Amino acid sequence: MQIASLIKRVQKRYPGSIISKIHDEYHVMYADESLNEMFLLPGFESEFEAWSQISQFVKVEQSINRTHPLKQMISEQKKRESQERIANRMHG
């Protein structure tokens, strides 16, 4: 995968994120915070490696958020509310 597509994936989730070199290690920064630290990752030796690893963690984070049980419960609740609203409209 090319570095441009890795950067695009990370910046889609964390807009304005940039690469920064701290003590000879590369960190991806977002809003003055290191995404490396947020995902409990060490600094990386190259920019490509940093973007690549952070990109993988962004993918995992999106998958977890997509399948989180609370999201499914909220979705079911909204579905019921919608059904009730439609039923009330039909009978009212």
Side-chain angles (χ1 to χ4, degrees):
M1 189 173 272
Q2 292 188 354
I3 194 163
S5 58
L6 297 171
I7 293 170
K8 185 177 177 181
R9 177 183 288 155
V10 173
Q11 288 183 340
K12 185 175 182 182
R13 178 75 175 101
Y14 297 100
S17 52
I18 58 170
I19 195 83
S20 181
K21 193 169 186 178
I22 303 171
H23 304 294
D24 295 327
E25 294 179 328
Y26 289 95
H27 292 256
V28 177
M29 304 297 289
Y30 171 70
D32 296 330
E33 284 188 59
S34 171
L35 292 179
N36 296 49
E37 290 178 14
M38 187 164 62
F39 292 124
L40 304 175
L41 296 171
F44 297 102
E45 293 181 11
S46 71
E47 287 186 43
F48 180 81
E49 188 180 8
W51 284 114
S52 178
Q53 292 299 316
I54 295 296
S55 173
Q56 290 298 315
F57 273 82
V58 165
K59 245 168 77 171
V60 169
E61 180 186 41
Q62 288 173 334
S63 294
I64 289 170
N65 289 340
R66 188 178 300 122
T67 59
H68 194 278
L70 275 180
K71 183 174 181 182
Q72 293 172 354
M73 289 171 41
I74 291 169
S75 178
E76 285 295 319
Q77 181 182 1
K78 284 184 179 182
K79 182 178 170 185
R80 270 188 260 111
E81 289 172 0
S82 182
Q83 288 173 341
E84 289 172 9
R85 184 175 45 80
I86 292 169
N88 289 339
R89 194 181 311 156
M90 291 173 68
H91 299 292

Coordinates of all heavy atoms in Angstrom, one line a residue:
M1 N 0.8 -1.2 0.0 CA 0.0 0.0 0.0 C 0.9 1.2 0.0 O 1.9 1.3 0.7 CB -0.9 0.0 1.2 CG -2.0 1.0 1.2 SD -3.2 0.9 2.6 CE -4.3 -0.2 1.8
Q2 N 0.5 2.2 -0.7 CA 1.3 3.5 -0.8 C 1.0 4.4 0.4 O 0.0 4.3 1.0 CB 1.0 4.2 -2.1 CG 1.5 3.4 -3.3 CD 1.3 4.2 -4.6 OE1 0.8 5.3 -4.6 NE2 1.8 3.7 -5.7
I3 N 2.0 5.2 0.7 CA 1.9 6.0 1.9 C 0.8 7.0 1.8 O 0.1 7.3 2.8 CB 3.3 6.7 2.2 CG1 3.3 7.3 3.6 CG2 3.6 7.8 1.1 CD1 4.7 7.7 4.1
A4 N 0.5 7.5 0.6 CA -0.6 8.4 0.4 C -1.9 7.9 0.8 O -2.8 8.5 1.4 CB -0.7 8.9 -1.1
S5 N -2.2 6.6 0.5 CA -3.5 6.0 0.9 C -3.5 5.7 2.4 O -4.6 5.8 3.0 CB -3.7 4.7 0.1 OG -2.7 3.8 0.3
L6 N -2.4 5.4 3.0 CA -2.3 5.2 4.4 C -2.6 6.5 5.1 O -3.4 6.5 6.1 CB -0.9 4.7 4.9 CG -0.5 3.3 4.3 CD1 0.9 3.1 4.6 CD2 -1.4 2.2 4.9
I7 N -2.0 7.6 4.7 CA -2.3 8.9 5.3 C -3.7 9.3 5.1 O -4.4 9.8 6.0 CB -1.4 10.0 4.6 CG1 0.1 9.7 5.0 CG2 -1.8 11.4 5.0 CD1 1.1 10.5 4.2
K8 N -4.3 9.0 3.9 CA -5.7 9.4 3.7 C -6.6 8.6 4.6 O -7.6 9.2 5.2 CB -6.0 9.0 2.2 CG -7.4 9.4 1.8 CD -7.6 9.1 0.3 CE -9.1 9.5 -0.1 NZ -9.3 9.2 -1.5
R9 N -6.4 7.3 4.9 CA -7.2 6.5 5.8 C -7.2 7.1 7.2 O -8.2 7.2 7.8 CB -6.8 5.1 5.8 CG -7.6 4.3 6.8 CD -7.1 2.8 6.9 NE -7.5 2.1 5.7 CZ -6.9 1.0 5.2 NH1 -5.8 0.6 5.8 NH2 -7.3 0.4 4.1
V10 N -5.9 7.4 7.7 CA -5.8 7.9 9.0 C -6.4 9.3 9.1 O -7.2 9.6 10.1 CB -4.3 8.0 9.4 CG1 -4.1 8.7 10.8 CG2 -3.7 6.6 9.5
Q11 N -6.2 10.2 8.1 CA -6.8 11.5 8.2 C -8.3 11.6 8.0 O -8.9 12.5 8.4 CB -6.1 12.4 7.2 CG -4.7 12.7 7.6 CD -4.0 13.7 6.6 OE1 -4.4 13.8 5.5 NE2 -2.9 14.3 7.1
K12 N -8.8 10.5 7.4 CA -10.3 10.4 7.3 C -10.9 10.3 8.7 O -11.9 10.9 9.0 CB -10.7 9.3 6.5 CG -12.2 9.2 6.2 CD -12.5 8.1 5.2 CE -14.0 8.0 5.0 NZ -14.4 6.9 4.1
R13 N -10.3 9.5 9.6 CA -10.7 9.4 11.0 C -10.2 10.5 11.9 O -10.9 10.9 12.8 CB -10.3 8.0 11.5 CG -10.7 7.7 12.9 CD -12.1 7.3 13.0 NE -12.4 6.9 14.4 CZ -13.0 7.7 15.3 NH1 -13.4 8.9 15.0 NH2 -13.3 7.2 16.5
Y14 N -9.0 10.9 11.7 CA -8.4 11.9 12.5 C -7.9 13.0 11.6 O -6.7 13.1 11.2 CB -7.2 11.3 13.3 CG -7.6 10.3 14.2 CD1 -7.5 8.9 13.9 CD2 -8.1 10.6 15.5 CE1 -7.9 7.9 14.9 CE2 -8.6 9.7 16.4 CZ -8.4 8.3 16.1 OH -8.8 7.4 17.0
P15 N -8.8 13.9 11.2 CA -8.5 15.0 10.2 C -7.3 15.9 10.7 O -7.3 16.2 11.9 CB -9.7 15.8 10.1 CG -10.8 15.0 10.7 CD -10.2 14.0 11.6
G16 N -6.4 16.2 9.8 CA -5.3 17.1 10.2 C -4.2 16.4 10.9 O -3.3 17.1 11.4
S17 N -4.2 15.1 11.0 CA -3.1 14.4 11.7 C -1.8 14.5 10.8 O -1.9 14.5 9.6 CB -3.5 12.9 11.9 OG -3.9 12.3 10.8
I18 N -0.7 14.6 11.5 CA 0.6 14.8 10.8 C 1.6 13.9 11.4 O 1.4 13.3 12.5 CB 1.1 16.3 10.9 CG1 1.2 16.7 12.4 CG2 0.1 17.2 10.2 CD1 1.9 18.0 12.6
I19 N 2.7 13.7 10.7 CA 3.8 12.9 11.2 C 4.8 13.9 11.9 O 5.0 15.0 11.5 CB 4.5 12.1 10.1 CG1 5.4 11.0 10.6 CG2 5.3 13.0 9.2 CD1 4.7 9.8 10.9
S20 N 5.3 13.4 13.0 CA 6.3 14.2 13.8 C 7.4 13.3 14.3 O 7.2 12.2 14.6 CB 5.6 14.8 15.0 OG 6.4 15.6 15.7
K21 N 8.6 13.8 14.2 CA 9.8 13.1 14.7 C 10.1 13.5 16.1 O 10.4 14.7 16.3 CB 11.0 13.3 13.7 CG 12.1 12.3 14.0 CD 13.1 12.4 12.8 CE 14.1 11.3 13.0 NZ 15.1 11.3 11.9
I22 N 10.1 12.6 17.0 CA 10.3 12.9 18.4 C 11.4 11.9 18.9 O 11.2 10.7 18.9 CB 9.1 12.7 19.3 CG1 8.0 13.6 18.8 CG2 9.4 13.0 20.8 CD1 6.6 13.4 19.4
H23 N 12.6 12.4 19.3 CA 13.7 11.6 19.8 C 14.0 10.5 18.8 O 14.1 9.3 19.2 CB 13.4 11.0 21.2 CG 13.1 12.1 22.2 ND1 14.0 13.0 22.6 CD2 11.9 12.3 22.9 CE1 13.4 13.8 23.5 NE2 12.2 13.4 23.7
D24 N 14.2 10.8 17.5 CA 14.6 9.9 16.5 C 13.5 8.8 16.2 O 13.8 7.8 15.7 CB 15.9 9.2 16.8 CG 17.1 10.2 16.7 OD1 17.0 11.2 16.0 OD2 18.0 10.1 17.5
E25 N 12.3 9.0 16.6 CA 11.2 8.1 16.4 C 10.1 8.9 15.7 O 9.8 10.1 16.1 CB 10.7 7.5 17.7 CG 11.7 6.5 18.3 CD 11.2 5.9 19.6 OE1 10.4 6.6 20.3 OE2 11.6 4.8 19.9
Y26 N 9.3 8.2 14.8 CA 8.2 8.9 14.2 C 6.9 8.6 14.9 O 6.6 7.5 15.3 CB 8.1 8.4 12.7 CG 9.2 9.0 11.9 CD1 10.4 8.2 11.6 CD2 9.1 10.2 11.3 CE1 11.4 8.7 10.8 CE2 10.2 10.7 10.5 CZ 11.3 10.0 10.3 OH 12.3 10.5 9.5
H27 N 6.1 9.7 15.1 CA 4.8 9.6 15.8 C 3.8 10.3 14.9 O 4.1 11.3 14.3 CB 4.8 10.3 17.1 CG 5.7 9.6 18.2 ND1 5.2 8.9 19.2 CD2 7.0 9.5 18.3 CE1 6.1 8.4 19.9 NE2 7.3 8.8 19.4
V28 N 2.6 9.7 14.8 CA 1.5 10.4 14.1 C 0.8 11.2 15.2 O 0.3 10.7 16.2 CB 0.6 9.4 13.4 CG1 -0.6 10.1 12.8 CG2 1.3 8.6 12.4
M29 N 0.7 12.5 14.9 CA 0.1 13.5 15.9 C -1.3 13.9 15.4 O -1.5 14.1 14.2 CB 1.0 14.7 16.0 CG 2.4 14.4 16.4 SD 2.6 13.6 18.0 CE 2.2 15.0 19.1
Y30 N -2.2 14.0 16.4 CA -3.5 14.5 16.1 C -3.9 15.4 17.3 O -4.0 15.0 18.4 CB -4.5 13.4 15.9 CG -6.0 13.8 15.9 CD1 -6.5 14.5 14.8 CD2 -6.8 13.6 16.9 CE1 -7.8 14.9 14.7 CE2 -8.2 14.0 16.9 CZ -8.6 14.7 15.8 OH -9.9 15.1 15.7
A31 N -4.2 16.7 17.0 CA -4.6 17.7 18.0 C -3.7 17.7 19.2 O -4.0 17.5 20.3 CB -6.1 17.3 18.5
D32 N -2.4 17.8 18.9 CA -1.3 17.8 19.9 C -1.2 16.6 20.7 O -0.6 16.6 21.8 CB -1.5 19.1 20.8 CG -1.3 20.4 20.0 OD1 -0.6 20.3 19.0 OD2 -1.9 21.4 20.4
E33 N -1.8 15.5 20.3 CA -1.6 14.2 21.0 C -1.1 13.2 20.0 O -1.3 13.2 18.8 CB -3.0 13.7 21.5 CG -3.5 14.4 22.7 CD -4.8 13.7 23.2 OE1 -4.7 12.5 23.5 OE2 -5.8 14.3 23.2
S34 N -0.2 12.3 20.5 CA 0.3 11.2 19.7 C -0.6 10.1 19.6 O -1.1 9.5 20.6 CB 1.6 10.7 20.4 OG 2.1 9.6 19.7
L35 N -1.0 9.7 18.4 CA -1.8 8.6 18.2 C -1.1 7.3 18.6 O -1.7 6.3 19.0 CB -2.3 8.5 16.7 CG -3.3 9.6 16.2 CD1 -3.6 9.4 14.7 CD2 -4.5 9.6 17.0
N36 N 0.2 7.3 18.5 CA 1.0 6.2 18.9 C 0.7 5.9 20.4 O 0.5 4.7 20.8 CB 2.5 6.4 18.8 CG 2.9 6.6 17.4 OD1 2.3 7.4 16.6 ND2 4.0 5.9 17.0
E37 N 0.7 7.0 21.2 CA 0.5 6.8 22.7 C -1.0 6.4 22.9 O -1.3 5.6 23.8 CB 0.8 8.1 23.4 CG 2.3 8.3 23.5 CD 2.7 9.6 24.2 OE1 1.8 10.2 24.9 OE2 3.8 10.0 24.0
M38 N -1.9 7.0 22.1 CA -3.3 6.6 22.3 C -3.6 5.2 22.0 O -4.4 4.5 22.7 CB -4.2 7.5 21.4 CG -5.7 7.3 21.6 SD -6.7 8.6 20.9 CE -6.4 8.4 19.2
F39 N -2.9 4.6 21.0 CA -3.1 3.2 20.7 C -2.0 2.3 21.4 O -1.9 1.1 21.1 CB -3.0 3.0 19.2 CG -4.1 3.6 18.4 CD1 -3.9 4.5 17.4 CD2 -5.4 3.2 18.7 CE1 -5.0 5.0 16.7 CE2 -6.5 3.7 18.0 CZ -6.3 4.6 17.0
L40 N -1.3 2.9 22.3 CA -0.2 2.2 23.1 C 0.8 1.6 22.2 O 1.3 0.4 22.4 CB -0.9 1.1 24.0 CG -1.9 1.6 24.9 CD1 -2.6 0.5 25.7 CD2 -1.3 2.7 25.9
L41 N 1.3 2.3 21.2 CA 2.3 1.9 20.3 C 3.6 2.6 20.5 O 3.6 3.8 20.9 CB 1.9 2.1 18.8 CG 0.7 1.4 18.3 CD1 0.2 1.9 17.0 CD2 1.0 -0.1 18.3
P42 N 4.8 2.0 20.2 CA 6.0 2.7 20.4 C 6.2 3.7 19.2 O 5.4 3.7 18.2 CB 7.1 1.6 20.3 CG 6.4 0.6 19.5 CD 4.9 0.6 19.8
G43 N 7.3 4.5 19.2 CA 7.6 5.3 18.1 C 8.2 4.3 17.0 O 8.6 3.2 17.3
F44 N 8.2 4.8 15.7 CA 8.6 3.9 14.6 C 9.8 4.5 14.0 O 10.1 5.7 14.1 CB 7.5 3.8 13.6 CG 6.3 3.1 14.2 CD1 5.1 3.8 14.6 CD2 6.3 1.7 14.4 CE1 4.1 3.2 15.1 CE2 5.2 1.1 14.9 CZ 4.1 1.8 15.3
E45 N 10.6 3.7 13.3 CA 11.8 4.0 12.6 C 11.7 4.8 11.3 O 12.6 5.5 10.9 CB 12.7 2.8 12.4 CG 13.2 2.2 13.7 CD 14.1 1.0 13.5 OE1 14.5 0.7 12.3 OE2 14.3 0.3 14.5
S46 N 10.5 4.6 10.7 CA 10.3 5.3 9.4 C 8.9 5.9 9.4 O 8.0 5.5 10.1 CB 10.5 4.3 8.2 OG 9.4 3.4 8.2
E47 N 8.7 6.9 8.5 CA 7.4 7.5 8.3 C 6.4 6.5 7.8 O 5.2 6.4 8.3 CB 7.4 8.7 7.3 CG 8.1 9.9 7.9 CD 8.0 11.1 6.9 OE1 7.0 11.3 6.3 OE2 9.1 11.7 6.7
F48 N 6.8 5.7 6.8 CA 5.9 4.7 6.2 C 5.4 3.7 7.3 O 4.3 3.4 7.4 CB 6.7 3.9 5.1 CG 5.8 2.9 4.5 CD1 4.8 3.2 3.5 CD2 5.9 1.5 4.9 CE1 4.0 2.2 3.0 CE2 5.0 0.6 4.3 CZ 4.1 0.9 3.4
E49 N 6.3 3.2 8.1 CA 6.0 2.3 9.2 C 5.0 2.9 10.2 O 4.0 2.3 10.6 CB 7.2 1.8 9.9 CG 7.0 0.7 10.9 CD 8.2 0.2 11.7 OE1 9.3 0.9 11.5 OE2 8.1 -0.8 12.4
A50 N 5.2 4.2 10.5 CA 4.3 4.9 11.4 C 2.9 5.0 10.9 O 1.9 4.6 11.5 CB 4.8 6.2 11.8
W51 N 2.8 5.5 9.6 CA 1.5 5.6 9.0 C 0.8 4.2 8.8 O -0.4 4.1 9.0 CB 1.6 6.3 7.6 CG 1.8 7.8 7.7 CD1 2.9 8.5 7.3 CD2 0.9 8.8 8.2 NE1 2.7 9.8 7.6 CE2 1.5 10.0 8.1 CE3 -0.4 8.7 8.8 CZ2 0.9 11.2 8.5 CZ3 -1.0 9.9 9.2 CH2 -0.4 11.1 9.0
S52 N 1.6 3.2 8.4 CA 1.1 1.9 8.2 C 0.5 1.3 9.5 O -0.6 0.8 9.4 CB 2.2 1.0 7.7 OG 1.8 -0.3 7.5
Q53 N 1.2 1.4 10.6 CA 0.7 0.8 11.8 C -0.5 1.6 12.4 O -1.5 0.9 12.8 CB 1.9 0.8 12.9 CG 3.0 -0.2 12.5 CD 2.5 -1.6 12.5 OE1 1.7 -2.1 13.3 NE2 2.9 -2.3 11.4
I54 N -0.4 2.9 12.3 CA -1.6 3.7 12.8 C -2.8 3.4 11.9 O -3.9 3.3 12.4 CB -1.2 5.2 12.8 CG1 -0.1 5.5 13.8 CG2 -2.5 6.0 13.1 CD1 -0.5 5.2 15.3
S55 N -2.6 3.2 10.6 CA -3.7 2.9 9.7 C -4.3 1.6 10.1 O -5.6 1.5 10.1 CB -3.1 2.8 8.3 OG -4.1 2.4 7.4
Q56 N -3.5 0.6 10.4 CA -4.1 -0.7 10.8 C -4.9 -0.5 12.1 O -6.0 -1.1 12.2 CB -3.0 -1.7 11.1 CG -2.3 -2.2 9.8 CD -3.3 -2.9 8.9 OE1 -4.1 -3.7 9.3 NE2 -3.2 -2.5 7.6
F57 N -4.5 0.2 13.0 CA -5.2 0.4 14.3 C -6.5 1.2 14.0 O -7.5 1.0 14.7 CB -4.3 1.1 15.4 CG -3.5 0.1 16.1 CD1 -2.4 -0.4 15.7 CD2 -4.0 -0.3 17.4 CE1 -1.6 -1.4 16.4 CE2 -3.3 -1.3 18.1 CZ -2.1 -1.8 17.6
V58 N -6.5 2.2 13.1 CA -7.7 2.9 12.7 C -8.7 1.9 12.2 O -9.9 2.0 12.5 CB -7.3 4.1 11.8 CG1 -8.6 4.6 11.1 CG2 -6.6 5.2 12.5
K59 N -8.3 1.0 11.3 CA -9.1 0.0 10.7 C -9.8 -0.8 11.8 O -11.0 -1.1 11.8 CB -8.4 -0.9 9.8 CG -8.8 -0.8 8.4 CD -7.8 -1.5 7.4 CE -8.0 -3.0 7.4 NZ -7.2 -3.6 6.3
V60 N -9.0 -1.3 12.8 CA -9.5 -2.1 13.9 C -10.5 -1.3 14.7 O -11.5 -1.8 15.1 CB -8.3 -2.6 14.8 CG1 -8.8 -3.3 16.1 CG2 -7.5 -3.6 14.0
E61 N -10.1 0.0 15.0 CA -11.0 0.8 15.8 C -12.4 1.0 15.1 O -13.4 0.9 15.8 CB -10.3 2.2 16.0 CG -11.2 3.2 16.8 CD -10.5 4.6 16.9 OE1 -10.0 5.0 15.8 OE2 -10.6 5.2 17.9
Q62 N -12.4 1.2 13.8 CA -13.6 1.3 13.1 C -14.4 0.1 13.1 O -15.6 0.1 13.3 CB -13.3 1.7 11.6 CG -12.9 3.2 11.5 CD -12.4 3.5 10.0 OE1 -12.0 2.6 9.3 NE2 -12.5 4.7 9.7
S63 N -13.8 -1.1 13.0 CA -14.5 -2.4 13.1 C -15.1 -2.6 14.5 O -16.2 -3.0 14.6 CB -13.5 -3.5 12.8 OG -13.1 -3.5 11.5
I64 N -14.4 -2.2 15.5 CA -14.9 -2.4 16.9 C -16.1 -1.5 17.0 O -17.1 -1.9 17.6 CB -13.8 -2.1 17.9 CG1 -12.8 -3.2 17.9 CG2 -14.4 -1.9 19.3 CD1 -11.5 -2.9 18.7
N65 N -16.0 -0.2 16.6 CA -17.1 0.7 16.8 C -18.3 0.3 15.9 O -19.5 0.5 16.4 CB -16.7 2.1 16.3 CG -15.7 2.7 17.3 OD1 -15.7 2.3 18.5 ND2 -15.0 3.7 16.9
R66 N -18.1 -0.4 14.8 CA -19.2 -0.8 13.9 C -19.9 -1.9 14.6 O -21.2 -2.1 14.4 CB -18.6 -1.2 12.6 CG -19.6 -1.5 11.6 CD -19.0 -1.9 10.2 NE -18.2 -0.8 9.7 CZ -16.9 -1.0 9.4 NH1 -16.3 -2.1 9.6 NH2 -16.2 0.0 8.9
T67 N -19.3 -2.8 15.3 CA -19.9 -4.0 15.9 C -20.1 -4.0 17.4 O -20.4 -5.0 18.0 CB -19.0 -5.2 15.5 OG1 -17.7 -5.1 16.1 CG2 -18.9 -5.4 14.0
H68 N -19.9 -2.8 18.0 CA -20.0 -2.7 19.4 C -21.4 -3.0 19.9 O -22.4 -2.5 19.3 CB -19.6 -1.3 19.9 CG -19.4 -1.2 21.3 ND1 -20.4 -1.0 22.2 CD2 -18.2 -1.2 22.1 CE1 -19.9 -1.0 23.5 NE2 -18.6 -1.1 23.4
P69 N -21.6 -3.8 20.9 CA -23.0 -4.1 21.4 C -23.9 -2.9 21.7 O -25.1 -3.0 21.4 CB -22.7 -5.0 22.7 CG -21.3 -5.4 22.6 CD -20.6 -4.4 21.7
L70 N -23.3 -1.9 22.3 CA -24.1 -0.7 22.6 C -24.7 -0.1 21.3 O -25.8 0.4 21.3 CB -23.3 0.3 23.3 CG -23.2 0.2 24.8 CD1 -22.4 1.3 25.4 CD2 -24.6 0.2 25.5
K71 N -23.9 -0.1 20.2 CA -24.4 0.5 19.0 C -25.6 -0.4 18.5 O -26.6 0.2 18.0 CB -23.3 0.5 17.9 CG -23.8 1.1 16.6 CD -22.7 1.3 15.7 CE -23.2 2.0 14.4 NZ -22.2 2.1 13.4
Q72 N -25.5 -1.7 18.6 CA -26.6 -2.5 18.2 C -27.9 -2.3 19.1 O -29.0 -2.2 18.6 CB -26.2 -4.0 18.3 CG -25.1 -4.3 17.2 CD -24.6 -5.7 17.4 OE1 -24.9 -6.4 18.4 NE2 -23.7 -6.1 16.5
M73 N -27.7 -2.1 20.4 CA -28.8 -1.8 21.2 C -29.5 -0.5 20.9 O -30.7 -0.3 20.8 CB -28.4 -1.8 22.7 CG -28.0 -3.2 23.2 SD -27.3 -3.2 24.9 CE -28.1 -2.0 25.8
I74 N -28.7 0.6 20.6 CA -29.2 1.9 20.2 C -29.9 1.7 18.9 O -31.0 2.3 18.7 CB -28.1 2.9 20.1 CG1 -27.5 3.2 21.5 CG2 -28.5 4.2 19.5 CD1 -26.2 4.0 21.6
S75 N -29.4 1.0 18.0 CA -30.0 0.8 16.7 C -31.4 0.1 16.8 O -32.3 0.5 16.2 CB -29.1 -0.1 15.8 OG -29.7 -0.3 14.6
E76 N -31.5 -0.9 17.7 CA -32.7 -1.6 17.9 C -33.8 -0.6 18.6 O -34.9 -0.6 18.2 CB -32.5 -2.8 18.9 CG -31.9 -4.0 18.2 CD -32.8 -4.6 17.1 OE1 -34.0 -4.7 17.3 OE2 -32.2 -4.9 16.1
Q77 N -33.3 0.2 19.5 CA -34.2 1.2 20.1 C -34.7 2.2 19.1 O -35.9 2.5 19.1 CB -33.4 1.9 21.2 CG -34.3 2.9 22.0 CD -33.5 3.7 23.0 OE1 -32.3 3.5 23.2 NE2 -34.2 4.6 23.7
K78 N -33.9 2.7 18.2 CA -34.3 3.6 17.2 C -35.3 2.9 16.2 O -36.2 3.6 15.8 CB -33.1 4.1 16.4 CG -32.3 5.2 17.2 CD -31.2 5.7 16.3 CE -30.4 6.8 17.1 NZ -29.4 7.4 16.2
K79 N -35.0 1.7 15.9 CA -35.9 0.9 15.1 C -37.3 0.8 15.7 O -38.3 1.0 15.0 CB -35.4 -0.5 14.8 CG -36.1 -1.4 13.9 CD -35.4 -2.7 13.7 CE -36.3 -3.7 13.0 NZ -35.6 -5.0 13.0
R80 N -37.4 0.5 17.0 CA -38.7 0.4 17.7 C -39.4 1.8 17.7 O -40.6 1.8 17.5 CB -38.5 -0.1 19.1 CG -38.6 -1.6 19.2 CD -38.6 -2.1 20.6 NE -37.2 -2.6 20.9 CZ -36.4 -2.0 21.8 NH1 -36.7 -0.9 22.5 NH2 -35.2 -2.5 21.9
E81 N -38.6 2.8 18.0 CA -39.2 4.2 18.0 C -39.8 4.5 16.6 O -40.9 5.1 16.5 CB -38.2 5.2 18.4 CG -37.8 5.1 19.9 CD -36.7 6.0 20.3 OE1 -36.1 6.7 19.4 OE2 -36.3 6.1 21.4
S82 N -39.1 4.2 15.6 CA -39.5 4.5 14.3 C -40.8 3.7 13.9 O -41.7 4.2 13.3 CB -38.4 4.1 13.3 OG -38.8 4.4 12.0
Q83 N -40.8 2.4 14.3 CA -42.0 1.6 14.1 C -43.2 2.2 14.9 O -44.3 2.2 14.3 CB -41.8 0.1 14.5 CG -40.8 -0.6 13.6 CD -40.5 -2.0 14.1 OE1 -40.6 -2.3 15.3 NE2 -40.0 -2.8 13.2
E84 N -43.0 2.6 16.1 CA -44.1 3.2 16.9 C -44.6 4.5 16.2 O -45.8 4.7 16.2 CB -43.6 3.5 18.3 CG -43.4 2.3 19.2 CD -42.8 2.6 20.5 OE1 -42.6 3.8 20.8 OE2 -42.4 1.7 21.2
R85 N -43.7 5.3 15.8 CA -44.0 6.6 15.1 C -44.9 6.3 13.9 O -45.9 6.9 13.6 CB -42.8 7.4 14.8 CG -43.0 8.7 14.2 CD -41.7 9.5 14.0 NE -40.6 8.7 13.4 CZ -40.5 8.4 12.1 NH1 -41.4 8.9 11.2 NH2 -39.4 7.8 11.6
I86 N -44.5 5.3 13.1 CA -45.2 5.0 11.9 C -46.6 4.4 12.2 O -47.6 4.8 11.6 CB -44.4 4.0 11.0 CG1 -43.2 4.6 10.4 CG2 -45.3 3.4 9.9 CD1 -42.2 3.7 9.8
A87 N -46.6 3.6 13.3 CA -47.9 3.0 13.7 C -48.9 4.1 14.2 O -50.1 4.1 13.9 CB -47.7 2.0 14.8
N88 N -48.3 5.1 14.9 CA -49.1 6.2 15.4 C -49.7 7.0 14.3 O -50.8 7.5 14.3 CB -48.4 7.0 16.4 CG -48.1 6.3 17.7 OD1 -48.8 5.4 18.1 ND2 -47.1 6.8 18.5
R89 N -48.8 7.2 13.3 CA -49.2 8.0 12.1 C -50.4 7.3 11.3 O -51.3 7.9 10.8 CB -48.0 8.2 11.2 CG -48.3 9.3 10.2 CD -47.1 9.5 9.2 NE -45.8 9.7 9.9 CZ -44.7 9.4 9.4 NH1 -44.6 9.0 8.1 NH2 -43.5 9.6 10.0
M90 N -50.3 6.0 11.2 CA -51.3 5.2 10.5 C -52.6 5.2 11.3 O -53.7 5.2 10.6 CB -50.8 3.8 10.2 CG -49.6 3.8 9.2 SD -48.9 2.1 9.1 CE -50.2 1.2 8.3
H91 N -52.6 5.1 12.6 CA -53.8 5.0 13.4 C -54.3 6.3 13.9 O -55.3 6.4 14.5 CB -53.5 4.0 14.6 CG -53.2 2.6 14.1 ND1 -54.1 1.8 13.5 CD2 -52.0 1.9 14.2 CE1 -53.5 0.6 13.2 NE2 -52.2 0.7 13.7
G92 N -53.5 7.3 13.7 CA -53.9 8.6 14.3 C -54.3 9.6 13.3 O -55.0 10.2 12.7

